[in-house]
Structures are given as C-alpha cells and as structure tokens.
Amino acid sequence: MDGRDLVRSVKTVGSTGAAQGLRTVRAAWRRRRADATGLPRRGAERARVPGPVQGAEPGPGGGVIRFTRSELRITVAVSGAVFWGWDGVGPEPSYALAGHGPEPDPRAVLEPDKDGGWRVVAERVTVVVSRHGAVEVRTPGGVILRRDLPPRWWEPVDGSGARWMQRSEVAADARFFGLGGRAAGPRLRDGTYRLWNTDPGHAFTPGDDPLYITMPVQMVVSDAGTHLVFHDTSWDGTVNLREGEEGAGSGHDRAGTCELRMDGGPLRCWLMVGTPARVLHAWASLTGAPALPPAWALGHHHARWGFGSEQEVRRIVAGYQERGLPLDAVHLDIDHYDAHQVFTVDRERFPKLPVLAEELRRDGIRLVSIVDPAVKAEPGNAAYDGGLAEDAFVRDGSGRLVRGVAWPGESVYPDFTHARVREWWGGLYEERLAQGFAGFWHDMNEPTSFTAFGESTLPRSARHSLEGRGGDHREAHNVYALGMARAAYEGLRERDPQERPFLFSRSGWAGMQRYGGTWSGDVATGWPGLRASLSLVMGLGLCGVPYSGPDVGGFDGSPSPELYLRWFQLGAYLPLFRTHASLRAGRREPWEFGDDVLEHARAALVERRRLLPYFMTLALLARRTGAPYVRPLWWAAPEDRALRDCEDAFMLGDCLLVAPVLEHGADRRAVQLPWGRWYDTVTEEVHEGPAQVLLDAPLSRIPVLARAGAVVPVRGDDGGLELEAWAPARGRVGGGLAVPDRGDGWDEPELERYVTRWEGQHVVVRRDGEGGAGTPEYPVRVRGLGAR
C-alpha cells in the first residue's frame, strides 16, 4: 500500500463512514500484499534483438523469416490487412479479432529482396524486411509509410515473460490519431500515452491521461497515404509519440517517431493501408462490424445520478412532455438498486418498476439500467450465491476470492475471460428485462474501486481463465470490460432475440464496437471538458467505435447557462445524445437554465428528431463499412494539411459539417472548409471551399453546413421519411444515401442511393439503382436554389 492509496483510504473513511472506510483500507492492503507475493520478482534480465537473417520459408500470403534469435511471421490477408508477429506468433488467440483471422491472400508471395532481406508484394502494399529485422511498409509506388526498427526484448533469466520495445518512423508530415479515448486530441501531440484502462477518480480534463478506454490502435495520416496500425497485446504499456519536422537539420526532414513499450504479451501487429474509409472498412472486417443500435437509441436520453424514486422519474418525463421536448430514453443510475446491489431494485422507492417502464414505453420512452461488475460479497445476495455456485469470481494465486470495495461495499468480481462465466452473467440480464429495461450502460468496469483509482481494483497477480490459457490480471485488465460487454450482448440476444441489444460501456478495448458503444465517463464541467468531449468522440471513431457521446454539461459541477447550451447543441449532433450529471451537480433539465436556454435547447432537440433518419442511415453505414458517424474534416481529403490540423469541427457523415462553439462568449467562429460549395443550413448562405470562413454562431444555434448536392434523409412533419436535397453547383452532380429502418429488429433494409443534378432550370433528384434511375417514393424538398 503506497502513499496515494493511504490518502484515498483516509478520504474514504471521512466521506463514507468508518465501517466502509475500514473495508477500503483492508482491501487496499490485501491488493498490495497479493501483488507482493503473487507476482514474479523481476530479477536479472538479458537484452535480445532478432540478429542477422538466416533464411525464410514461404507460406500462404507470406511466410516465416528466420533470424538468429527470433522468427518473423508475415501474412497478407485477402482484405489487404498485413499481419506480422515476432517469435513466430500468429494472429490467434486474440480478443480483438471477430472469430478467426482472415484468410491469407494467395497472390501475396514472400520473395528475396536486395542486401539479404525479404519482401512480400501485395496489391495495396509492399512489406520489406531487412536482414537485421527492420520492417518497412511501402505504397505500391515505393513510398515508405512506416518503418519499424528491429525490436528489442528484455527477458528475465528465470524464463518468465519478456517486456519489449518497438521503435517506428513515419513521414515528417504525418499526424497521429487514435489510441482509444484521449481527452487531448483528436490529433495526438508529442508525448507519452499509457495503455492501461483507468478510472482517474475525478472529473477529467484534456490534461488527464490515461482514461477509461485505451487501445494500441493508431491511425497515421500523411501526404503519402493513411495507415492504421494495431499492436495486438492487452498488457500495460506506453506509446511515446513525436511528430516529425520538414526541413529540419541542414534541410533534411526529421521523421516522426513512435516508441511502444509493453510489459509483456506477444509482439504482433496488424497494419492496413489506404484511404481513411478503406482503412476503417478493413479494420471492421478484422475486428467485427459495429453493433447496430435500435432506432430509439439515436434520440435524446436523459439521466441523473439521484432520480431517487418513481415519482421523480414521472415528474421529469412530464416536464419534457408539457414543454413539447422530445425524449426517447430515461437512464436509472445506481440509486435505483437495493443498497447498490447489482440486479436488484429498491422496492420502497421503485415499487412498480415494470409498470413505470410500460407506461414510458407507450409514450415512446425506454428505460435504461446501469450495470456494474462489482457483486456484493454477502450470502443471500442472489448474484453472489449464484456466482459462488458457478465458481465465477476472480481468485488470487492461493485460490482465495479477490475482494475490492465499490458501491455495494466489499465486493467480488466475475472473471469475464471465461466462457462459462460470461454465459452465467448474461443470464442475469433476465431480471433486468423483466423489470422493463430496454438498454444497459456498463460502469465501473475498468474495473475500478474506491481503493485503487488510477489502477485496477483487482491485484495484478489475480488469476484469470483467459479462455483456458490461464494468466493474471496484467494481461486481463484491459479486456475485462470487453468480456463484460460480450457477456451482456450474447445474453440479451438469447433472451430477447427480436430486438437489437442496446449497450454502451465506460471501458473497453479493440473490438468493443461488436457489442455496442461508449460514453465519455466523468468529463469535467467547464469549457475544457466540452472540448475534450469532442476529442473523445472523434478519436474513438477513428479506432472503430462509431457510437459514443459525452455527459452533456459535464458530469460534476454546475455549468453556466451558456456552457450548458453550447454542450447541448454539440450533443445534438453526436451519436449518443445524453444529458447526465452527478448527484452533487444538481438538475440538468433544459428548463432549469432559464427561458432562453429552454427555447434554444428545444430547437436543438427538434432538429435532432428531424435528423433521426440521417442518424439511422449513418448507423447502418457504420455497420456495413466501419465508417464513423463523426468524422474529421480531412476524412475525404487526408492530403489537405490545413484540414489535418483542424480539431474543432467535424463532418457528420458525408453531408453535414458541424462547427460547435467551444469558447465562452463566442458568437462567431472560424471554420476551415473542405473543397466544394457549402450551404448554411439555416440561412442558405453559400460558401466556397477550400477556405477559412467566419460564420455567425448566435446563442440560438451552432453553425451547420450542408455539402452542395447532398441528399439528407429527414423526418417529415407527419413522422414519415423525406429527402432534403441541396442544390449542386452548376455543371456538377451530387447525391446521398437513405437507409430507412423498419424498426428495432434484425432485418436490414436495402440501401437507397439518390443522385442530384441540374436539368435546365431545375434540380432533379432521382433514385439510382440496378434497374436505372427512378423517381423517389418519398417527398423531396430542394434547398439552396437561390445560389448560382
């Protein structure tokens, strides 16, 4: 137990009472003692490098290159993704992959290269391996996108697992993105980023790192091309990034560098090359298509830690209805549980929860339940007794149950790396469904506890199944929440097969999009927190997690009316649109901030409701292609350096450009426009890109621009689908997609493509299909006709 643990324990004693505080202190001592006795002592080590090349053995899609002290396995998949693994490791087993790894590309062949090296030539990429183990990734034209220097290992002389380091170089103009949910982004500046899912224990700002979701996934964008690189190991580690500089040092470029240091696990890597859209499509093919949220989950959600009772929930819902404010979901936090015990209900405050849920559903509102992994260690608790019978909980090296302290008090934790435990846990959601809940948000699942903010509640020496391979928490920590999401998703599919599950999780890892999305966690109330919210959503989208959003207004603290409104206006254009706050932050309903804020918030809510068909289209496109809803401005033009450095605006799909207000007192803001013609969606004023323009941003709205020629599916006044077409520039054509959703089931409708063009003095919108162009079956409204 170190000084930080002692301080936290003392604070807990003072804030939660002596009994709970003493449990906290004991749990912290147990965790430290378990690691002191259960982890191997790291003694003398020997450094190792691959050494000179000795030979090679071609195989499907590549082959194995043998060095003096290691082997390098290279495989090019049919999707174009490239895999390489040192010490001969293969792509499996992996928590990131969706099923088995992709098939190798039979056209890719391992062949000798100059100076004793080897290479694999594929359709989209060439991989060149030097005789000492450097790996270069080149475009078909020979331009180097990434160069990995020979790796280094530090092996304990007693034979236990090795830690390793991999240095890489990228182009001098390259920019780094990704690494999971990072508050300081989406562009990752020079610095060190930790790969360890962490609850910081306080409301975070852009200076806090790491946060709840870390992933060894980088998207690197340069003039020569875009590539995504994923180092498939879940161990703790750091990534040190340094951007390059052109013309540095006697006119020569200084390459950008990435240094990855991991405490263990295999040194294996996946790399995808192409446009951002192609790269994320390959990533989704590798790690799984994003889960499709039900249509209602794309509307407005309201949550508060501290609803307190059924009467308060009804009061809030009535407040929305009386004021004509759209509402699609209400989230119940831990205060609806019986003494904070998961899969229970406080019968005094929520005596008729299923009745409440049914009443809300009739009004088009769903109930969403929080679910934590901590199970109160108390006989008579159904989850605890059932888990003991299943031998479901994590144990230490001596076979004793590992205990931490969380909301229920002293708690135990399921081992989600065991298939049998996931099946048992998924079955517990039957109780939630019986209570009328339609969706679930997973919290505290890094996992964390009151004894270990910044670390794991489970000691690193805690034992895990790891799908039968066996191991400890050092390897299982980062994938713990991923296993919890899988357990819930599969359990819900089995118990409610007619509806798409709705899940979002505070923590996760590569591949988490297969089961649902995420939210910001405890983002700080303040203008920096607002900016961090956008960074998290954009960065996670570039890691393959398209559905996410922040706690509007920040989790802790009291936002000013202006800050709340600007956050609300941003949230209306993000995938997960949720107001939420802590018990201490007070009420966050739009009418609590005055009449002006209420009217402007109503406008944002109405516009979100109008755009629901567009959000549903983006959700289905994300499932089919991996493309995020929220995209950086450089998405379609990564070679545009001005766009590459723009972090305060984004594309919503291909059609809309959203420029949120992120500064106090601003009523105008500069926006860097991509190429083409853009219309202000309110005034229909025309702007031509590429250029930087200054746009009005009164308190009533944030600037939103539509691309000329775009076709946006929207909700009409009668609730039906309509098409909003924006006039293309003369001599040009445009278009858009509409994917009308038929409900919340599993049938995916046909993708409909529309084309816009000028014909004489009229803009014509036609459906484009295999049978030729046709008249749209939906009402069409053409806008922007005043521009020439």
Side-chain angles (χ1 to χ4, degrees):
M1 185 175 186
D2 62 15
R4 290 175 300 176
D5 279 333
L6 181 59
V7 169
R8 291 174 186 131
S9 299
V10 170
K11 287 182 177 179
T12 304
V13 170
S15 62
T16 64
Q20 180 83 320
L22 290 174
R23 283 194 293 268
T24 301
V25 172
R26 286 199 300 268
W29 276 111
R30 286 198 301 264
R31 183 170 60 87
R32 291 291 175 176
R33 187 174 64 244
D35 282 347
T37 59
L39 289 177
R41 295 180 178 273
R42 188 169 291 278
E45 296 178 320
R46 52 173 173 265
R48 178 166 66 88
V49 295
V53 69
Q54 300 294 305
E57 180 181 339
V64 175
I65 304 172
R66 293 186 297 276
F67 296 84
T68 304
R69 304 178 192 89
S70 188
E71 291 184 346
L72 176 64
R73 182 183 303 276
I74 297 181
T75 304
V76 178
V78 290
S79 63
V82 181
F83 169 83
W84 65 81
W86 284 97
D87 284 348
V89 298
E92 299 178 66
S94 170
Y95 280 98
L97 300 187
H100 296 293
E103 294 294 320
D105 185 350
R107 299 169 298 174
V109 179
L110 180 66
E111 58 188 26
D113 194 42
K114 60 183 181 181
D115 299 328
W118 292 82
R119 67 179 182 180
V120 179
V121 180
E123 179 182 4
R124 301 173 191 164
V125 68
T126 298
V127 182
V128 179
V129 183
S130 76
R131 58 181 178 149
H132 289 290
V135 180
E136 289 182 354
V137 178
R138 302 177 181 176
T139 68
V143 178
I144 299 175
L145 293 177
R146 188 180 191 92
R147 183 171 189 265
D148 281 5
L149 301 179
R152 296 178 65 88
W153 294 266
W154 287 268
E155 294 181 334
V157 293
D158 62 6
S160 57
R163 56 191 178 95
W164 50 267
M165 181 268 288
Q166 174 74 74
R167 287 196 179 102
S168 307
E169 296 176 349
V170 297
D173 66 286
R175 297 290 183 261
F176 298 99
F177 302 87
L179 295 181
R182 305 287 170 170
R187 173 183 162 195
L188 301 177
R189 262 66 174 190
D190 295 1
T192 299
Y193 302 87
R194 190 179 177 195
L195 297 169
W196 186 254
N197 292 350
T198 302
D199 175 8
H202 55 81
F204 67 85
T205 63
D208 288 299
D209 188 88
L211 297 177
Y212 313 98
I213 302 174
T214 66
M215 300 182 195
V217 180
Q218 300 173 42
M219 183 175 282
V220 185
V221 183
S222 66
D223 290 353
T226 299
H227 70 271
L228 182 147
V229 61
F230 166 52
H231 290 89
D232 192 357
T233 176
S234 60
W235 285 64
D236 193 359
T238 59
V239 181
N240 185 279
L241 300 178
R242 184 185 182 193
E243 293 181 349
E245 183 180 353
E246 293 178 298
S250 303
H252 297 288
D253 291 348
R254 175 173 61 78
T257 60
C258 167
E259 182 178 282
L260 178 65
R261 291 179 176 267
M262 302 300 296
D263 286 351
L267 203 176
R268 56 185 178 184
C269 174
W270 285 95
L271 188 138
M272 286 131 263
V273 173
T275 64
R278 184 185 291 273
V279 160
L280 281 184
H281 185 260
W283 176 245
S285 299
L286 182 71
T287 61
L292 185 64
W296 60 264
L298 295 169
H300 176 53
H301 304 234
H302 187 80
R304 192 173 77 223
W305 175 21
F307 272 131
S309 68
E310 291 182 11
Q311 290 74 21
E312 178 67 1
V313 172
R314 286 191 171 91
R315 188 189 73 81
I316 296 300
V317 171
Y320 273 90
Q321 294 171 337
E322 291 165 2
R323 295 168 176 83
L325 304 176
L327 179 64
D328 297 272
V330 172
H331 296 210
L332 299 188
D333 211 319
I334 54 173
D335 48 294
H336 85 279
Y337 283 137
D338 181 11
H340 296 150
Q341 296 181 69
V342 68
F343 301 118
T344 65
V345 175
D346 186 327
R347 300 295 180 182
E348 291 186 5
R349 293 184 295 158
F350 292 86
K352 298 180 180 180
L353 191 54
V355 174
L356 173 65
E358 182 57 32
E359 291 175 359
L360 294 179
R361 186 181 284 261
R362 285 198 296 266
D363 289 334
I365 302 169
R366 268 62 169 195
L367 270 186
V368 176
S369 171
I370 192 171
V371 177
D372 290 355
V375 174
K376 186 175 180 62
E378 181 178 79
N381 174 7
Y384 178 70
D385 293 342
L388 287 180
E390 291 285 342
D391 190 21
F393 301 122
V394 175
R395 297 178 180 271
D396 63 18
S398 301
R400 295 185 297 267
L401 290 177
V402 174
R403 297 170 183 255
V405 177
W407 290 114
E410 192 161 86
S411 304
V412 292
Y413 294 81
D415 181 7
F416 295 118
T417 69
H418 195 302
R420 174 175 49 77
V421 175
R422 289 195 296 268
E423 183 178 2
W424 164 75
W425 183 264
L428 298 180
Y429 287 76
E430 182 73 43
E431 180 272 342
R432 297 284 87 186
L433 294 174
Q435 297 294 341
F437 289 108
F440 306 93
W441 53 298
H442 290 175
D443 198 8
M444 300 287 285
N445 58 344
E446 291 72 32
T448 192
S449 81
F450 300 151
T451 68
F453 291 124
E455 286 294 327
S456 172
T457 186
L458 302 177
R460 292 180 174 232
S461 58
R463 304 301 300 172
H464 289 267
S465 168
L466 291 167
E467 315 310 321
R469 294 183 289 112
D472 59 39
H473 197 65
R474 292 175 298 173
E475 182 177 358
H477 174 81
N478 282 337
V479 297
Y480 187 84
L482 180 71
M484 181 182 178
R486 178 181 177 182
Y489 185 84
E490 292 175 349
L492 290 168
R493 285 207 61 175
E494 180 179 345
R495 283 153 186 83
D496 194 7
Q498 302 305 314
E499 294 197 18
R500 302 193 289 261
F502 176 57
L503 290 169
F504 63 105
S505 171
R506 191 170 77 172
S507 186
W509 202 63
M512 65 179 293
Q513 75 277 356
R514 299 191 294 264
Y515 313 116
T518 183
W519 93 103
S520 64
D522 299 347
V523 61
T525 297
W527 294 95
L530 172 59
R531 186 175 291 271
S533 297
L534 178 56
S535 297
L536 284 161
V537 174
M538 293 178 68
L540 285 163
L542 295 176
C543 291
V545 184
Y547 184 89
S548 66
D551 285 344
V552 167
F555 178 71
D556 208 0
S558 300
S560 67
E562 180 194 5
L563 174 60
Y564 175 83
L565 179 60
R566 292 309 195 186
W567 216 316
F568 200 92
Q569 290 167 335
L570 168 62
Y573 293 95
L574 299 180
L576 173 59
F577 180 21
R578 183 176 87 144
T579 50
H580 181 233
S582 76
L583 189 66
R584 299 178 295 273
R587 303 187 185 280
R588 288 286 175 82
E589 292 75 45
W591 54 88
E592 298 289 345
F593 294 86
D595 292 341
D596 288 344
V597 169
L598 174 60
E599 289 309 306
H600 300 331
R602 176 183 287 110
L605 283 169
V606 169
E607 181 64 6
R608 173 60 173 241
R609 177 61 58 93
R610 194 180 75 92
L611 288 175
L612 281 181
Y614 186 52
F615 274 93
M616 195 70 249
T617 298
L618 296 179
L620 281 156
L621 284 173
R623 179 164 180 81
R624 297 180 184 183
T625 69
Y629 312 30
V630 171
R631 307 166 186 178
L633 294 186
W634 48 260
W635 176 262
E639 70 283 355
D640 188 329
R641 297 191 179 188
L643 297 179
R644 223 185 282 165
D645 293 338
C646 181
E647 302 176 273
D648 60 357
F650 60 92
M651 295 297 303
L652 183 61
D654 287 330
C655 297
L656 300 180
L657 188 157
V658 182
V661 174
L662 305 176
E663 297 178 355
H664 168 63
D667 59 5
R668 304 189 81 190
R669 61 149 298 172
V671 179
Q672 187 70 38
L673 294 182
W675 181 91
R677 172 173 290 182
W678 299 86
Y679 297 96
D680 187 302
T681 57
V682 173
T683 66
E684 299 192 11
E685 181 181 358
V686 176
H687 304 277
E688 299 288 345
Q692 187 177 78
V693 297
L694 192 62
L695 302 179
D696 289 333
L699 274 177
S700 59
R701 65 184 180 94
I702 58 176
V704 179
L705 306 178
R707 187 191 299 274
V711 177
V712 183
V714 298
R715 189 175 186 266
D717 293 338
D718 62 354
L721 181 65
E722 294 183 359
L723 300 178
E724 185 173 81
W726 292 88
R730 288 284 185 173
R732 297 191 177 275
V733 298
L737 301 172
V739 189
D741 190 41
R742 307 302 181 189
D744 296 338
W746 293 96
D747 293 336
E748 294 188 16
E750 178 185 358
L751 184 147
E752 300 175 1
R753 187 181 304 275
Y754 295 90
V755 176
T756 57
R757 60 168 52 87
W758 282 94
E759 293 185 5
Q761 297 302 309
H762 302 281
V763 172
V764 176
V765 180
R766 299 189 186 278
R767 181 173 175 178
D768 189 21
E770 295 181 359
T775 303
E777 60 179 282
Y778 313 109
V780 177
R781 179 188 178 200
V782 179
R783 301 186 64 186
L785 292 174
R788 291 291 187 270

